[in-house]
Amino acid sequence: MSTALFCKFLLKSFKLLLVKRIEEEQKEYDTIDEDIANLEAKLEDLDAEMMKNATNSAKLSELTAEKEKVEQQLEEKMDRWVYLNDLAEQIAAQN
């Protein structure tokens, strides 16, 4: 395979990967607000459950661990939201 042909192959492969990544990020961008809202609702539910189980140390410990996981997920989604919004603004500015 010649160098020029190999470069064309690499360029085409890169473009396909880029298009796929953009499509995946667009899907994520379309649903991320709902994902964040669901995680926030989950935290509210966990807070309510923790109040109900304030005297049950075993259940409270379980709920606290679950809440920490959900808080971490929410933090990751919020960071991702910032990235995706910045990317959307950059794309919009190019058009």
Side-chain angles (χ1 to χ4, degrees), residues 58-75:
K59 184 68 174 174
L60 191 56
S61 178
E62 177 186 316
L63 291 168
T64 300
E66 186 176 352
K67 183 178 178 184
E68 288 172 1
K69 288 179 189 175
V70 174
E71 286 173 334
Q72 180 63 36
Q73 291 171 348
L74 179 59
E75 184 177 334

Side-chain angles (χ1 to χ4, degrees), residues 3 35 40 43 74:
T3 303
D35 295 342
E40 290 172 337
L43 285 174
L74 179 59

Side-chain angles (χ1 to χ4, degrees), residues 55-94:
T55 59
N56 183 341
S57 62
K59 184 68 174 174
L60 191 56
S61 178
E62 177 186 316
L63 291 168
T64 300
E66 186 176 352
K67 183 178 178 184
E68 288 172 1
K69 288 179 189 175
V70 174
E71 286 173 334
Q72 180 63 36
Q73 291 171 348
L74 179 59
E75 184 177 334
E76 290 169 4
K77 282 287 182 189
M78 296 293 277
D79 289 345
R80 191 73 180 146
W81 181 88
V82 169
Y83 166 78
L84 291 171
N85 273 323
D86 288 346
L87 185 60
E89 288 174 4
Q90 289 173 10
I91 291 170
Q94 292 176 351

